[in-house]
Amino acid sequence: MSNKRVLLSPATLICLLLLAPIGRATATTYCVDTPALLESTLLQVGNSSAENEIRIVMGTYETDGFNLSMSDPTAGDLTISGGWPAGCAAPPSNDARDTVLAGAITQTFGLLGTRRIDLRALTFFKFALVRARRKGLAGGHDILWDGVQLRLVRAIEVGSQSAGAIDLRNLLVHDSGTVGGDCMLAIGQDQNDEFSTTLLAQSTFALNKGAKQVCLNGVETSKLLRNNIFDGDAAQQSVFVANTQATLQHNRIQLLGGLPPSADSIDNFTSAPGFVDSALRDFRLAAGSPAINRGYMVLPEGQRAFDHFGMTRWNGFRPDLGALETDTVESSVFTVTNSNDIGAGSLRQAIENANANFDPSIVQFNIPDGCNSRILLNSELPMLVAPLWVNGYSQPGSVRNSSNAAFNATLCVGLVAGQFGFAHAFRTQVGGAPMRIEGIAFGGFGAASGNNAVLAISEARESVVRGNQFGGSSGFGLLTPSNADISISGAAQDVQVGGPQSAERNLFTSTLEAPNITIAGLVRNSQVLGNWFGLDRDGVFHMGTVIGVLIEGKDTIVRNNLFAYDDIGIMFSSSLSQHNRVQNNSFGLDPSGANAEMISAISARGGKNNIIGAIADQNSGGNLIANSLGAAIEVTMSPGNTPLSTRIRGNRIRATANGMDIDLAGGGPTANDIGDLDEGPNRTMNHPVLSAVSDAFGQITVPGTIDTLAGSVVIDFYASASRGTSERGEAAQYLGHVTTATGNFQFQIPLTVNNPYPYISATATNDDGNTSELSPSLRAPPLFVAGFE
């Protein structure tokens, strides 16, 4: 660690977080390594209109402490990250020890803001209080601490007044709290709704003082503690839970207080974690520790690839508990040494051996064929009855994807069905153990009827599928499409397809008849993250299918994926399709931004309380949708199903051929009715009626009316280059929102917005989450248009 010490004054630190309006310019990144550069950079940040990231070069930075209140509701999101080398161009160390903010035991480090607050790879040393709190009722913004160390900190507070997420992971908290004190770390949210969640994961707490190490005090809907280590004296409560129950899974916990754990809590234990040397503050896990390979495989938004010290995370079948990962595997390993379908050294024999072992096992590859190991199967492989990791990247020559413009992974193991008539490559039994499938190219699987997916995950918890290819061109030649790629069914939970890193991306090309991924009605908490649908490996060639992801289950997250050339990217198809989120995806464009047209990006034909885009105030979550031949987002009835409470907010939509960016009930624009009493998809929510667009005193004003049922209504405003064929405009650029009741409203926005689109339109979303179609658009006055340029 560098011994550079930089003194920051309170005024300077306050400047660090005074951000200008969000969403008006490109995000800006700054590199901090000297006091002079820090001062000039912070002044620049304070006057920018961008979201901002402050990268701090490795060193120890002494502070006088500060309390900051970011009261501007349009203030931008902020990320402060440490571990950067000089120049901040090379990748950071991701080691919290490398960047230290050092205070004094009487000082406070406080952040109070209206938007997202991210702290990454930082150490806070010797403060009276470290605090982060989201304020305001708009909601939808997160607090994220990832890889933060807190040492000799008397009290820690993380809270929110509104919906969104508190996400704390990879924390190392030791020698903190106070003798005779109550809660060392207090976490909680003031609102309980379907979007309020708290996660504490992969963290280590040791040698802390006070009656309770962590207090979950909020009323949020979901409180999840997963893969943590709490170590302290026998009388100290590891976790105290108030107001609403928490789910505790795979934690080392000494003593609980408050409400009992939820019924979904599993595999918590009390035996000693087995640190290397607590007295020397070495909180790595020693050989034989019960916390090694004990973790749950899946976290919300995925596991990151490195631990608190920047070391590789998740070396065995499961991750270790706590903030620090060992390189211990502690699983049986079976090696595939030939490409035969049966017999010694075959993949089939390795799976049979793993099943007989019953404990978690790893299948590795060392086939002399090198990077051309095509395994031709003449019948289905054995059903998995024990936890199994099939690691195709262990075959010599294999390389994970590293590109954002193409799928450049080198997959040296291919599984091909030798005859069309059997469906599955890998499948779990009902109530079975999890699978982890990586680094395999699949082709040619299918069956005449029934569940005919290449990977069939039934009932099992926490399976992971990442870094694979389904169909398309390969080193084995063109892989024949399969009937379907992944089926998640039964009461399966916590299945992750893809992940947050590009190396975890799956490539889904085309299928013969079924969706690439089907998530059945009783399935909960699936995640589809960062995958490509409808393209070949080059990121250009058209390989579209009928439906990318079919969702019949609940609590699914579909985020940061690319959908191209599919008929429909995502479909909600059942009344059981509830509380699913589709956010930050791209539809109808290839990686270069070229046209990759689709019929519709998203189709809601059933379900309730699903989210397409941002949860609340649009700083994140919106999807990019382009080149739809039909409606970009359609909310229509199917037999026996009427989709309700489908929130459609903050998306950017353009080049919709029929002019309907949002279509309720199908067939084009839906007329308003008096009092908004009619029923149908999203209750055929009345759209706003804009009466004028005027400019005065440096801003434009958009008055209008909304005629709907009693309750509050959010009016979201969008700008577009034209009215489109429906004259409803397009949602090409999000401008902002107002919250009103039925009747009149007025929206104002500065003239200097950097937006070249002169047509203004709006949607309405009621308290129940029903979003309307876009309103007829109005053209802004010339001065307004000039101000956009």
Side-chain angles (χ1 to χ4, degrees):
M1 182 174 65
S2 169
N3 61 5
K4 180 186 296 181
R5 303 180 70 83
V6 181
L7 180 62
L8 307 185
S9 69
T12 297
L13 282 167
I14 289 175
C15 287
L16 181 69
L17 302 177
L18 288 175
L19 302 182
I22 184 172
R24 312 303 193 216
T26 304
T28 306
T29 300
Y30 300 96
C31 182
V32 170
D33 65 352
T34 69
L37 182 58
L38 178 62
E39 294 287 350
S40 61
T41 300
L42 296 178
L43 289 173
Q44 190 172 354
V45 167
N47 291 288
S48 77
S49 59
E51 299 177 15
N52 293 279
E53 178 185 0
I54 307 295
R55 296 179 175 180
I56 305 178
V57 171
M58 291 182 279
T60 297
Y61 295 74
E62 292 186 343
T63 83
D64 293 331
F66 70 97
N67 273 298
L68 174 70
S69 177
M70 294 181 286
S71 59
D72 185 346
T74 63
D77 292 356
L78 174 67
T79 298
I80 306 176
S81 58
W84 292 91
C88 300
S93 66
N94 297 312
D95 188 337
R97 298 170 296 181
D98 289 341
T99 305
V100 179
L101 300 182
I105 208 65
T106 59
Q107 296 169 350
T108 295
F109 188 103
L111 306 177
L112 179 64
T114 58
R115 296 282 180 161
R116 184 181 177 102
I117 301 170
D118 285 9
L119 301 178
R120 304 170 189 248
L122 297 167
T123 290
F124 292 92
F125 176 69
K126 195 182 290 187
F127 284 95
L129 174 65
V130 174
R131 174 198 298 156
R133 184 166 179 80
R134 274 267 300 113
K135 65 177 183 175
L137 302 179
H141 298 279
D142 304 340
I143 294 175
L144 173 64
W145 290 10
D146 194 350
V148 174
Q149 179 174 208
L150 298 113
R151 182 180 181 189
L152 293 177
V153 175
R154 289 187 172 183
I156 310 158
E157 296 177 5
V158 183
S160 177
Q161 294 179 357
S162 56
I166 295 174
D167 187 335
L168 310 178
R169 59 181 78 194
N170 299 292
L171 307 186
L172 177 58
V173 185
H174 63 97
D175 296 287
S176 293
T178 58
V179 175
D182 187 28
C183 287
M184 179 194 66
L185 169 58
I187 309 172
Q189 300 196 44
D190 298 345
Q191 286 194 51
N192 182 358
D193 63 25
E194 58 201 311
F195 312 125
S196 57
T197 62
T198 286
L199 172 72
L200 176 60
Q202 295 290 175
S203 297
T204 298
F205 297 80
L207 301 178
N208 296 307
K209 304 174 183 66
K212 304 160 188 168
Q213 294 210 59
V214 174
C215 291
L216 300 174
N217 294 327
V219 297
E220 55 266 41
T221 301
S222 171
K223 300 174 180 177
L224 175 61
L225 273 65
R226 187 174 282 174
N227 298 356
N228 302 291
I229 294 175
F230 298 93
D231 191 50
D233 63 55
Q236 185 182 58
Q237 291 181 4
S238 300
V239 179
F240 179 87
V241 182
N243 296 312
T244 57
Q245 285 184 296
T247 299
L248 281 64
Q249 297 175 334
H250 294 235
N251 302 281
R252 191 275 172 167
I253 298 178
Q254 286 179 279
L255 185 63
L256 288 173
L259 298 175
S262 72
D264 208 26
S265 298
I266 55 171
D267 196 33
N268 300 290
F269 65 98
T270 60
S271 56
F275 294 133
V276 170
D277 194 331
S278 294
L280 295 178
R281 284 16 182 201
D282 189 342
F283 300 113
R284 295 173 299 161
L285 299 175
S289 164
I292 292 177
N293 293 319
R294 187 71 175 264
Y296 205 80
M297 288 198 293
V298 178
L299 294 179
E301 310 294 342
Q303 289 270 4
R304 73 172 186 175
F306 45 87
D307 70 0
H308 181 84
F309 288 168
M311 306 299 290
T312 300
R313 170 68 81 182
W314 194 0
N315 296 300
F317 178 79
R318 297 179 182 276
D320 298 340
L321 301 188
L324 305 175
E325 186 85 4
T326 71
D327 57 6
T328 304
V329 174
E330 289 193 0
S331 298
S332 299
V333 178
F334 301 98
T335 302
V336 179
T337 58
N338 60 58
S339 300
N340 299 338
D341 181 33
I342 60 174
S346 67
L347 173 60
R348 189 180 302 273
Q349 185 63 55
I351 294 174
E352 290 175 353
N353 294 342
N355 281 341
N357 183 58
F358 193 74
D359 291 329
S361 300
I362 301 172
V363 170
Q364 296 185 347
F365 295 83
N366 189 14
I367 302 174
D369 298 345
C371 200
N372 189 26
S373 302
R374 179 176 177 270
I375 300 174
L376 186 66
L377 300 176
N378 293 310
S379 62
E380 287 186 343
L381 292 168
M383 181 178 291
L384 306 184
V385 300
L388 186 66
W389 173 16
V390 181
N391 184 10
Y393 287 111
S394 61
Q395 173 66 18
S398 297
V399 180
R400 297 178 184 272
N401 177 68
S402 61
S403 175
N404 290 321
F407 184 77
N408 68 355
T410 302
L411 302 182
C412 298
V413 177
L415 292 187
V416 179
Q419 56 181 335
F420 199 80
F422 66 92
H424 311 302
F426 299 106
R427 56 196 168 120
T428 63
Q429 64 180 351
V430 174
M435 65 168 71
R436 178 180 169 190
I437 309 297
E438 300 182 80
I440 308 290
F442 297 96
F445 291 87
S449 62
N451 184 342
N452 57 6
V454 177
L455 304 181
I457 302 170
S458 178
E459 300 286 342
R461 286 179 178 261
E462 52 161 344
S463 290
V464 175
V465 180
R466 62 184 191 180
N468 305 286
Q469 178 180 341
F470 297 84
S473 59
S474 73
F476 317 105
L478 185 65
L479 296 167
T480 303
S482 300
N483 263 12
D485 295 328
I486 299 177
S487 170
I488 307 170
S489 62
Q493 295 184 40
D494 296 307
V495 177
Q496 177 182 319
V497 181
Q501 286 89 33
S502 61
E504 298 175 283
R505 177 183 304 143
N506 296 292
L507 177 66
F508 296 96
T509 58
S510 60
T511 60
L512 294 178
E513 56 184 44
N516 293 110
I517 302 173
T518 297
I519 301 171
L522 298 179
V523 175
R524 294 170 49 203
N525 300 322
S526 296
Q527 301 181 71
V528 181
L529 308 173
N531 305 286
W532 281 8
F533 295 84
L535 293 167
D536 205 357
R537 292 175 56 89
D538 60 6
V540 176
F541 191 74
H542 179 167
M543 299 285 285
T545 192
V546 178
I547 300 172
V549 182
L550 178 68
I551 303 174
E552 298 174 338
K554 64 184 299 186
D555 298 314
T556 304
I557 296 173
V558 184
R559 184 170 291 161
N560 296 325
N561 302 280
L562 184 150
F563 296 87
Y565 296 114
D566 296 338
D567 288 354
I568 297 173
I570 299 169
M571 179 183 288
F572 303 122
S573 62
S574 164
S575 61
L576 298 176
S577 305
Q578 297 183 18
H579 295 97
N580 302 294
R581 286 184 284 165
V582 177
Q583 298 177 308
N584 294 111
N585 302 284
S586 172
F587 298 86
L589 298 166
D590 71 15
S592 72
N595 185 341
E597 65 189 23
M598 308 172 70
I599 293 178
S600 288
I602 303 166
S603 177
R605 301 185 183 183
K608 187 176 182 180
N609 291 322
N610 294 306
I611 298 169
I612 301 171
I615 290 176
D617 41 358
Q618 284 71 44
N619 75 314
S620 63
N623 301 283
L624 174 60
I625 302 173
N627 306 309
S628 297
L629 299 177
I633 301 172
E634 60 174 16
V635 185
T636 60
M637 291 188 293
S638 60
N641 288 316
T642 301
L644 296 171
S645 302
T646 307
R647 299 173 191 247
I648 307 170
R649 304 191 57 202
N651 303 287
R652 293 168 293 154
I653 309 174
R654 65 174 189 264
T656 304
N658 74 351
M660 292 300 295
D661 287 3
I662 302 171
D663 192 351
L664 305 185
T670 300
N672 285 345
D673 65 300
I674 297 173
D676 206 7
L677 300 176
D678 59 346
E679 296 295 336
N682 264 14
R683 291 198 63 259
T684 52
M685 176 78 182
N686 279 353
H687 60 71
V689 176
L690 307 184
S691 56
V693 180
S694 60
D695 64 89
F697 305 107
Q699 61 187 5
I700 64 123
T701 300
V702 186
T705 60
I706 178 67
D707 180 11
T708 188
L709 301 177
S712 65
V713 183
V714 176
I715 311 294
D716 289 301
F717 294 84
Y718 300 89
S720 61
S722 70
R723 282 185 158 178
T725 57
S726 70
E727 297 191 352
R728 291 293 183 93
E730 294 180 330
Q733 174 72 36
Y734 178 72
L735 297 178
H737 75 276
V738 295
T739 301
T740 185
T742 185
N744 299 321
F745 61 80
Q746 182 172 280
F747 175 69
Q748 294 179 319
I749 190 168
L751 274 171
T752 55
V753 172
N754 181 21
N755 188 333
Y757 304 137
Y759 288 94
I760 310 299
S761 56
T763 61
T765 302
N766 68 7
D767 283 337
D768 291 331
N770 296 294
T771 298
S772 72
E773 296 176 351
L774 282 162
S775 70
S777 61
L778 294 179
R779 183 178 176 86
L783 178 59
F784 177 51
V785 176
F788 272 2
E789 295 174 346

